[in-house]
Amino acid sequence: MKNIHFIAIGGAIMHQLALALYRQGYNITGSDDEITDPAKSNLMAAGLLPEKFGWYPEKITSSVDAIVLGMHAKADNPELLAAKKTGISIYSFPQYVYEVSKNKKRVVVAGSHGKTTITSMIMHILKHEGLDFDYLVGARVAGFDQSVRLSDAPIIVLEGDEYPASVEEKRPKIFFYHPHISVLSGIAWDHINVFPTYEIYFNQFEQYLQGMDNGVKLFYNSEDSEVRRVIATSGSKLLVAPYETPPFHYEDGFPIMDTTAGPVKVSVFGRHNLLNMQAAIDVCMELGVAEKDCYTAIASFTGAARRLEKIKEEKGLLVYRDFAHAPSKLKATLNAVREAYAGHRLIACFELHTFSSLNEQFLSEYGHSMDAADDAIIYFSHHALTLKGLPNLDPGTVKKYFARNDVHVIDEKTKLEETVNNMIATKATDGSGMNIPVFLLLMSSGTFDGIDWNSVSSQ
C-alpha cells in the first residue's frame, strides 16, 4: 500500500484526487490551513479530513512514499520544506495523475474556454456507450459521482489547465499529461497574474504543442484565428484535424443538429456549445465510437454544473447561471442566449471576481462584450479586491472599459439585488401589448457574495 500525503488537500481538484486514490486502496493523509465545503464534507465522509487545520511538518515521516503538492501551498510551507529535507518525491497533482495513468490512452482537452464542457460531453458519450474510462474534470457532471476517477480503465479523459502546476513547478498543468489525443478549443488571454502579456500566454500553447510526441492527434477549433496561428507555428509534427460548428437550426428554443443520421435535438444551446459538441464527437469517434452512436448519446447531455445551467423557471421568467468570466466566454454566452431566446428580454448580470477581471490593466479586454443584452449589470465587491491584493476600482472606470453607456456598475450587494428585482418588475410589452418574458443570465466564477437568486420573481 502506498502512503500519499497531500499538502493543501482542501483544493477543489486536490481533494477529489485524494478521494480517487483512497478508493483505489492508497493510504491518504493531508493538511490544509482552511477547508470549506464541498471538500470539507467529502473528506469527512471518507475519514480523510485533517483533525486540525494548519501545517504540521511532523506528518512528513519516512513512511510517506510521495507528496502531492497543491497550488495553494506557498514556497515556505513547513510541510513542503520538511519533505525537501527528507528527500521524499514531490509531485504536483498533474504530475501525479500522469504517474498513475502512464499505461492508459490519455485524452487531454486544452484551451482558454470550453474545456469543462467538451470534457463532460466526451465523458457522457463514453459512459452512454458503456466504455470503461477514467477522468478528471473541473465541475460536477450529471451521471458522475465525483470529478476524478482512477481505476484500471484503459482510457483517461483529462481537462487540461494552463495554470501553473504548483509553487515548485510553475509550468502549466497541461505540460505534464502527454496526450495521445488532444483538443485545442480556443485561445484568449487569461490569468494575467501569471501571464502578464498576451504573447506570454499564447506561448504556453506553442510549448504545449511542441512538447507533444510526433503523430499525436490534435482536434482544433478552426473558427478561432489564434488557434489557427498556433497550429501554423507549432503543429507541424502533429496529426491535426479541424472542427467547426455543425449545421443546426432552432425549434422552440432547442437546437436541432442537421446530421448525416438525420435531425438530432439537443438540450444545450448556443453556437459555442454546438462547436464544443463537435469536438467531443470527433474525439469519441477517434476512440472507436460510431458517429451515429455519438449523436444518440449526445442528445441526452444536459450540461456541466454552472455552464448555462437553469436555476429557476416561472411564468414570464427564466433564470440561468454560467461560469463565464473571461471576455470571450462572456460574449459567447450572451450571444448564445440572444440567439436561442430572441423573444425574451435579456438581463445580463456579470460579476468581476477573478484576479484578471478585477485588474484595471485587463478590463479593456471586456469592451463591447455585453452588447447582446437588453439590460446589462456589472457587479464587484471591494472585499474581493482586498482578498486579491488589488487597488480599489471606481465604478465609472469599469463602465468606461465595457464601452456601453447604459451599463449599471454596482459595488454593493443589497443594491445589486434591488436593481435586478426592479428590472424584472419593470414590464416590457411587444407590438400586440403582451408582456415580453424575461431571461435573467447570471455570469460569474464566484457567488455574487452569496445572493439567493431563487428569491427573484416576475410575480
Side-chain angles (χ1 to χ4, degrees), residues 114-370:
K115 296 186 292 292
T116 301
T117 300
I118 295 170
T119 305
S120 302
M121 288 173 170
I122 294 169
M123 290 164 56
H124 181 85
I125 294 171
L126 296 181
K127 182 178 181 181
H128 187 277
E129 293 306 299
L131 274 72
D132 189 20
F133 65 98
D134 289 340
Y135 54 83
L136 184 156
V137 62
R140 177 176 50 82
V141 179
F144 294 86
D145 295 332
Q146 59 265 348
S147 57
V148 179
R149 179 187 189 244
L150 295 172
S151 70
D152 295 327
I155 298 167
I156 188 166
V157 182
L158 301 162
E159 178 181 343
D161 185 354
E162 67 273 20
Y163 206 74
S166 74
V167 70
E168 289 289 292
E169 180 47 85
K170 297 184 179 180
R171 290 179 294 167
K173 296 182 180 80
I174 51 175
F175 287 12
F176 300 98
Y177 292 139
H178 308 290
H180 302 98
I181 301 169
S182 187
V183 174
L184 186 54
S185 63
I187 300 176
W189 192 21
D190 203 354
H191 309 307
I192 186 176
N193 54 321
V194 179
F195 310 112
T197 70
Y198 174 72
E199 283 305 318
I200 292 173
Y201 180 76
F202 180 85
N203 179 249
Q204 307 310 304
F205 293 100
E206 290 183 306
Q207 292 182 59
Y208 174 58
L209 268 58
Q210 291 163 3
M212 291 185 195
D213 292 338
N214 290 349
V216 165
K217 189 66 174 280
L218 176 68
F219 296 98
Y220 71 93
N221 175 7
S222 64
E223 297 177 7
D224 187 307
S225 60
E226 291 301 271
V227 171
R228 295 197 304 270
R229 179 160 78 99
V230 81
I231 293 294
T233 62
S234 306
S236 60
K237 67 177 183 179
L238 308 176
L239 294 176
V240 296
Y243 67 90
E244 60 188 16
T245 307
F248 74 99
H249 63 279
Y250 278 106
E251 292 181 12
D252 300 323
F254 287 96
I256 310 295
M257 294 176 67
D258 303 312
T259 78
T260 54
V264 176
K265 182 180 178 180
V266 294
S267 298
V268 295
F269 57 87
R271 291 177 179 272
H272 67 302
N273 274 327
L274 292 166
L275 182 65
N276 293 335
M277 196 171 283
Q278 187 61 59
I281 289 170
D282 286 349
V283 167
C284 290
M285 289 174 62
E286 184 71 14
L287 291 171
V289 181
E291 185 174 15
K292 63 181 179 57
D293 293 332
C294 290
Y295 291 133
T296 300
I298 207 64
S300 58
F301 177 78
T302 55
R306 297 180 68 189
R307 271 68 178 179
L308 274 175
E309 180 182 31
K310 183 164 65 177
I311 60 174
K312 184 168 186 175
E313 181 175 10
E314 62 181 44
K315 185 178 179 181
L317 176 66
L318 276 172
V319 183
Y320 274 71
R321 64 180 174 184
D322 192 82
F323 196 70
H325 53 84
S328 58
K329 299 174 186 177
L330 189 64
K331 191 170 185 177
T333 301
L334 279 166
N335 287 340
V337 174
R338 180 78 289 162
E339 185 174 40
Y341 290 87
H344 285 61
R345 175 171 153 237
L346 176 54
I347 301 174
C349 186
F350 171 51
E351 180 183 17
L352 304 175
H353 181 71
T354 64
F355 183 95
S356 295
S357 67
L358 287 164
N359 193 304
E360 188 173 346
Q361 181 188 348
F362 188 77
L363 276 173
S364 61
E365 300 289 317
Y366 285 99
H368 298 289
S369 61
M370 297 187 74

